[in-house]
Every structure is written in structure tokens, then in C-alpha cells.
Amino acid sequence: MNANTLYYGDCLDWMRQWPDQSVDLIYLDPPFNSNADYNMLYSSAAGAAQYRAFNDTWYWDEGAAERYEVYQGAPGRPARSAVMGMAQIFGRSGMLAYLTYMAERLEQMHRLLRPTGSIYLHCDPTASHGLKLLMDSIFGSRSFRNEIVWCYTGPGSPGQRQFSRKHDTIFWYSKSDHWCFNADAVRVRHHTKTKANFKDGLRGSGFVADTYDLDSGGKIPESWWAQQKGNGLAIAARQKRQYLGYPTQKPVALLERIIRASSNPGDLVLDPFCGCGTAIEAAHRLNRRWIGVDISSFAIDLIRRERMKGMKIPTKGIPQDVDSARKMAREQPFAFESWAVTRLPGFAPNTKQVADGGVDGRGMLVEKPEDFNSRLALAQVKGGKFSLSGLRDFIGVTKRDEAALGCYVTLDPVNTPAARAEVAGLGKIRVAGREFRRMSLWPVSDYFDGRLPILPSMTDPYTGRPMAPSLFR
């Protein structure tokens, strides 16, 4: 368990290896998606679309059934009573699949926290009711400190038939009755009363508006944290200097307030779903030690390339050479697939890795080819021995899905005449006056030598914007 280190993989696997009572503060923003791509969904502003995506991607499968059966037969597990109760409400559903997934990870977080430690769980109304029950059962209802509501503004949807959903919920629990709270580090100063304070008629007669600048002579903030001019609590997408284009990115000021309040310099802060690394940056700025874990190699790369640019950050779990890539392919084939796909500029791994129709990743060309009516790009990864029939099958998938191009990724170079003939048979496309093969053979060994496949300009798979030319070699 190394401080100031990024860990690639499932946080459950890493946390099980770490010692009891070793972490001072945990912040997590667990997204609603599955497998290696679960941290790439939509912002909470997506509303009904997010709920549909939640149901589509967290489904009741064999893994969920196994987790549920473990809880059924384990009366000593802290979350058992909550899981059994929610099974009566939700049935064998995507929601229960998600909550059992979270239960086994929250139990590990409870074990890792020091007696004076705190945990902040960031969520939205999609599953907050179930997560609150899990937190009560694992940490104890007496350890509940606050339900913090982070409020922000944004445009509504045309024709909407409900109030705009513009808030997230953050549940704060302590490990014991002796928790850290640095009141002076988060005080805010007062404004004087103005007529504008009462325009909506919803505020009490003693209301005083606040700005959220730090001031040791001010007051402790309420449990609702609203964006105001200059306080940094607007959504990250509206703060151009810090926005990295990551779909669920949170503002740095939000994390700084949490870290200031519930930890001290030198303490260890853990973010087990670190995404693009906002909590890591905030902890680093405030002289805390930190650990970030994410199951997306794209997120780990983004932190190292953009968030903590210029810093040498150790990374555990990501292959550093061909031998470690080979080991990963052998021992963690799904993780290897996701990692290998994200080595291709512009490609994102599937959210579903079983019965995937022969596709392990997808991307989108910036421009439609001059001679082909599609911008779709597909990828397939083979971590074992190359087979010509496997290549032929993927060529068939590329034709079936009418993709503009495909990338067939292997561990080692493939140079057989038969393979070259199959690739050549698919022909070429013309993009921006330049020809590209419709099928590329690309070995992971090339990645470690600094060589990427020759592809047209691709969009960022999570923002839709053209990728920077510097990412292509």
C-alpha cells in the first residue's frame, strides 16, 4: 500500500490486500455502469436517460447472483441485513446487482478506515436511498454525520415535466465517535443582507447570504453547498481552466472543502473510484498523502498526462513492458482487453465483455470517409495465440457492422502472408485526402516501442471532441 500512487484495477481486489485501519479519509464517487467502463456514464444532469442507462448496464447476471448468495449465507457480514431487505423491495434486478457490488466494497472501506477517520460517499437520486441503507448497516446509523447537498445550476430540457435535477448528495459517516473536523479550515464569511436575498420569498427573515471564501472568522457552512460567484463550486464543465472533458468530473473546490474538514496535513486520503483524479489533485495541493484507484486505464492515463502533468507518479497494475502485458493477458483477460483497447487513440472498451458480438472496443472518426458512409471504428483484442480464423471472424464483424475501419490487436506482431492477404482484401478508405487500410494489425509490443497504428483523426470517446494531434505517433 504505497502513498501518492495510482492503482489500476478493481478497487475491491486492491483493498483486500491492504492493512486494517490504514486510511484517514475516503472519498468515493461510484458511478453506475459495469465492468471496465463503469466510470464512463453520464453526468447527473442526464436525469431519466441516466436511470435508463443504469438499468441497461447493471443487470442481474451470474456475478450478481453469486454476490447475493454469499450474503444470504453469511449472517456475520455487516451489510447482510440491508441486502436481504432490499432484495424484498427490488427483487433480482439491476438495482440489487449494483447495491451488492457496492456492499462488498464499502465493507472493505470500513475496515481500512482509522478510528478517527471519515468516509464521504458522493451519489445522486438514482440509488442514494439504497446506498444510505448500506452505509447505515456497515458504519452504523449513529456514525452518520451529515447529508450534504451540492447544488448547481444549468439549463433545463425542452418540454420537461418536472423540476430540473441540479443537485448531488454526499453522505458523510465517521468510523467512531472521535472523528476529525477542522471547523476553522472551512469557515465562510458573511454578506450583508440585501433585497435580492428575498426575491423568491423562500428564505427566513434571519437569512444572510454567504460567499464560500475561506475565512477563519466566519461561520461553519450549512449542509447545502451551492455554487456562488467565485467559490469554485460550479460544475467542472463550466470551469474551463480545470475541466479535462471527463463526464463525471467534480470541481476541485468541492473536494478541497471535504479534505480540509476531515483530514490533516500528512494524512492518507483514498479515492477508490478516482476517475480523472479531482480528489487526488485536491489532496496533493493540501499536503495530504493520497491513493487513487480506478478500473479504467483511460482514467489513469488522463491523471498522469493532464491532471498531474510533469510529475512522476508510480502506477500499480498497468503493464510496463511486454512481459507484464503477457502476464495480465493470462491472469486477467478482461482487464487486458480493456487496457489494450485504450492504448488505441480514440477507442473506448465495451461496457459488456461477455457475448460482445466480437467487438472489444469502439471509436469514431472525426471525418466521414470520402468513399464510405460511416465514421465507426471497431477493435478486437486477442491475448492468446494468433489464429487466422479469428482475424477472418473480426473482418466479418467489421463488414457486418458497416464500420469504416477495424483494429485487430495482438500481443505479438503478425506478419504471415495469409494474414496480410486477409487485411489487404478488405481494402482502404480515403479520409481528408489520405488513404488508410480498413483493417489494421497492431501488436501490443509496438506500444512499448512508441509505435501506434496509422489511423485517421479520431474523436475523444468520452467528449466527442477531436483528439489532440500530439496523441498520434
Side-chain angles (χ1 to χ4, degrees), residues 65-247:
E66 288 177 359
R67 291 195 299 270
Y68 178 69
E69 288 172 7
V70 168
Y71 278 104
Q72 270 188 317
R77 294 283 289 268
R80 183 183 184 275
S81 58
V83 169
M84 294 299 102
M86 288 187 289
Q88 297 297 313
I89 299 170
F90 300 122
R92 306 321 193 246
S93 64
M95 180 65 79
L96 188 62
Y98 173 70
L99 292 172
T100 55
Y101 170 93
M102 287 304 303
E104 57 185 3
R105 285 155 180 78
L106 288 169
E107 288 175 341
Q108 289 296 318
M109 295 176 210
H110 180 270
R111 180 183 65 81
L112 292 176
L113 269 184
R114 298 187 196 277
T116 55
S118 289
I119 180 170
Y120 286 76
L121 170 56
H122 193 137
C123 56
D124 69 13
T126 308
S128 58
H129 51 310
L131 291 170
K132 178 67 163 60
L133 289 173
L134 285 180
M135 295 293 282
D136 279 347
S137 64
I138 295 169
F139 288 85
S141 57
R142 289 186 56 188
S143 293
F144 173 63
R145 305 270 70 88
N146 274 120
E147 178 180 354
I148 298 163
V149 179
W150 171 43
C151 309
Y152 41 86
T153 61
S157 303
Q160 70 183 56
R161 300 178 62 197
Q162 61 193 28
F163 297 110
S164 296
R165 295 172 178 170
K166 302 297 179 187
H167 79 275
D168 286 5
T169 297
I170 304 172
F171 295 124
W172 171 23
Y173 284 73
S174 62
K175 178 72 174 280
S176 71
D177 291 337
H178 303 284
W179 65 89
C180 170
F181 184 64
N182 300 313
D184 287 344
V186 293
R187 293 184 186 276
V188 295
R189 66 168 64 105
H190 297 275
H191 261 169
T192 56
K193 234 180 282 185
T194 65
K195 290 182 180 179
N197 292 340
F198 304 97
K199 279 185 176 180
D200 60 15
L202 295 178
R203 299 180 171 112
S205 59
F207 179 85
V208 179
D210 303 315
T211 58
Y212 282 79
D213 300 318
L214 295 178
D215 183 349
S216 59
K219 68 171 185 176
I220 297 172
E222 291 85 356
S223 58
W224 53 271
W225 299 355
Q227 72 173 66
Q228 299 202 14
K229 187 175 181 181
N231 73 352
L233 292 180
I235 59 174
R238 293 191 169 191
Q239 303 190 59
K240 293 182 179 179
R241 289 186 178 180
Q242 62 177 273
Y243 188 49
L244 301 178
Y246 196 82

Side-chain angles (χ1 to χ4, degrees), residues 162-429:
Q162 61 193 28
F163 297 110
S164 296
R165 295 172 178 170
K166 302 297 179 187
H167 79 275
D168 286 5
T169 297
I170 304 172
F171 295 124
W172 171 23
Y173 284 73
S174 62
K175 178 72 174 280
S176 71
D177 291 337
H178 303 284
W179 65 89
C180 170
F181 184 64
N182 300 313
D184 287 344
V186 293
R187 293 184 186 276
V188 295
R189 66 168 64 105
H190 297 275
H191 261 169
T192 56
K193 234 180 282 185
T194 65
K195 290 182 180 179
N197 292 340
F198 304 97
K199 279 185 176 180
D200 60 15
L202 295 178
R203 299 180 171 112
S205 59
F207 179 85
V208 179
D210 303 315
T211 58
Y212 282 79
D213 300 318
L214 295 178
D215 183 349
S216 59
K219 68 171 185 176
I220 297 172
E222 291 85 356
S223 58
W224 53 271
W225 299 355
Q227 72 173 66
Q228 299 202 14
K229 187 175 181 181
N231 73 352
L233 292 180
I235 59 174
R238 293 191 169 191
Q239 303 190 59
K240 293 182 179 179
R241 289 186 178 180
Q242 62 177 273
Y243 188 49
L244 301 178
Y246 196 82
T248 58
Q249 184 175 341
K250 302 302 183 292
V252 175
L254 182 73
L255 273 299
E256 285 186 338
R257 176 175 292 185
I258 290 171
I259 292 169
R260 286 179 189 274
S262 293
S263 69
N264 296 305
D267 282 353
L268 182 60
V269 178
L270 167 64
D271 186 344
F273 298 87
C274 67
C276 67
T278 306
I280 288 168
E281 179 181 347
H284 187 79
R285 285 187 184 185
L286 297 173
N287 298 315
R288 273 68 166 173
R289 297 176 300 134
W290 52 265
I291 288 175
V293 187
D294 206 276
I295 204 167
S296 166
S297 53
F298 170 85
I300 299 294
D301 291 341
L302 186 63
I303 294 171
R304 299 180 71 187
R305 187 180 69 242
E306 301 293 339
R307 174 75 71 180
M308 312 294 275
K309 188 182 298 184
M311 294 178 58
K312 293 184 178 180
I313 300 175
T315 304
K316 304 287 187 179
I318 286 184
Q320 303 298 315
D321 52 34
V322 175
D323 288 339
S324 55
R326 201 180 311 280
K327 183 174 185 289
M328 186 186 203
R330 183 174 62 251
E331 298 178 357
Q332 304 174 68
F334 287 153
F336 174 74
E337 282 181 10
S338 297
W339 172 80
V341 165
T342 55
R343 300 310 90 189
L344 298 169
F347 282 77
N350 287 350
T351 57
K352 188 178 181 181
Q353 294 182 298
V354 178
D356 55 18
V359 178
D360 296 322
R362 289 175 169 79
M364 198 67 67
L365 280 61
V366 172
E367 296 182 40
K368 187 181 291 185
E370 299 164 16
D371 49 1
F372 202 86
N373 191 32
S374 172
R375 294 166 52 213
L376 176 65
L378 302 179
Q380 188 177 96
V381 178
K382 291 298 179 184
K385 187 177 179 180
F386 169 77
S387 73
L388 186 62
S389 62
L391 173 60
R392 287 171 175 162
D393 288 344
F394 182 57
I395 289 174
V397 168
T398 304
K399 293 178 179 177
R400 178 199 70 194
D401 292 355
E402 299 180 347
L405 59 84
C407 289
Y408 193 74
V409 182
T410 55
L411 269 168
D412 301 303
V414 175
N415 293 311
T416 66
R420 291 198 299 269
E422 292 290 340
V423 167
L426 198 58
K428 298 180 179 181
I429 57 172

